[in-house]
């Protein structure tokens, strides 16, 4: 578990990720957080984003920037669960350049709700197991 992150995903940067200032635009960091989290939920937690009865709604997100990065290249994105509640989860994400320098750190909060009523539901079964696997220690 490097830097306290149980899960790592390498994400290639794309030409369109660079902005007019020549570095990856801040909106891309948020997109990467969302992508890495949802990839984990779909592949490991069995979340069915198209037709499942339960969906995750983002209720809070934050990103702090430490350094810039540019295309071409890739980011190594670390993912962990900082808090797992009854119906919500707070993720922490670290984004590192391939030389292991810290680019950005963020957090993202999901509340799991019933798709139709949008009312919170308990996180259970395979989804809960997948989230528990992301808890450090």
């Amino acid at each position: 578990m490097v830097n306290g992150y149980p899960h790592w995903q390498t994400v290639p940067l794309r030409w369109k990720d660079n902005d007019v200032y020549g570095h990856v635009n801040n909106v891309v960091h948020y997109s990467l957080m969302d992508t890495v989290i949802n990839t984990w939920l779909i592949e490991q937690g069995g979340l069915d984003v198209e037709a499942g009865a339960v969906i995750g709604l983002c209720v809070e997100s934050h990103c702090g920037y430490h350094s810039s990065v540019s295309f071409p290249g890739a980011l190594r994105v670390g993912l962990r669960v900082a808090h797992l509640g009854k119906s919500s989860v707070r993720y922490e994400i670290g984004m590192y350049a391939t030389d292991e320098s810290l680019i950005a750190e963020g957090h993202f909060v999901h509340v799991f709700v019933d798709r139709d009523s949008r009312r919170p539901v308990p996180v259970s079964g395979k989804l809960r197991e997948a989230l528990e696997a992301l808890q450090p220690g």
Side-chain angles (χ1 to χ4, degrees):
M1 185 178 342
V2 180
N3 296 336
Y5 296 103
H7 175 68
W8 288 89
Q9 184 174 334
T10 300
V11 182
L13 297 172
R14 303 161 306 172
W15 173 255
K16 73 176 191 170
D17 294 338
N18 282 1
D19 63 17
V20 68
Y21 301 113
H23 60 76
V24 171
N25 189 271
N26 61 321
V27 71
V28 174
H29 297 84
Y30 282 94
S31 178
L32 291 176
M33 288 193 292
D34 202 13
T35 298
V36 169
I37 289 166
N38 281 292
T39 298
W40 177 266
L41 295 175
I42 292 164
E43 292 179 354
Q44 302 300 317
L47 186 67
D48 181 349
V49 295
E50 294 178 9
V54 174
I55 59 172
L57 298 180
C58 177
V59 297
E60 179 182 332
S61 63
H62 168 80
C63 192
Y65 304 95
H66 298 275
S67 186
S68 65
V69 65
S70 300
F71 173 88
L75 287 179
R76 294 272 300 141
V77 182
L79 177 63
R80 67 179 165 228
V81 166
H83 176 77
L84 179 56
K86 182 180 175 184
S87 62
S88 66
V89 60
R90 184 180 192 271
Y91 310 92
E92 292 177 341
I93 301 97
M95 291 171 248
Y96 294 80
T98 53
D99 68 1
E100 299 186 17
S101 60
L102 179 62
I103 302 301
E105 295 176 290
H107 72 261
F108 191 101
V109 178
H110 261 151
V111 173
F112 291 93
V113 300
D114 177 85
R115 177 183 295 276
D116 297 325
S117 73
R118 295 296 204 256
R119 300 298 308 151
V121 297
V123 179
S124 61
K126 187 176 179 182
L127 182 58
R128 185 165 204 89
E129 291 173 14
L131 292 170
E132 288 172 344
L134 289 176
Q135 293 178 308

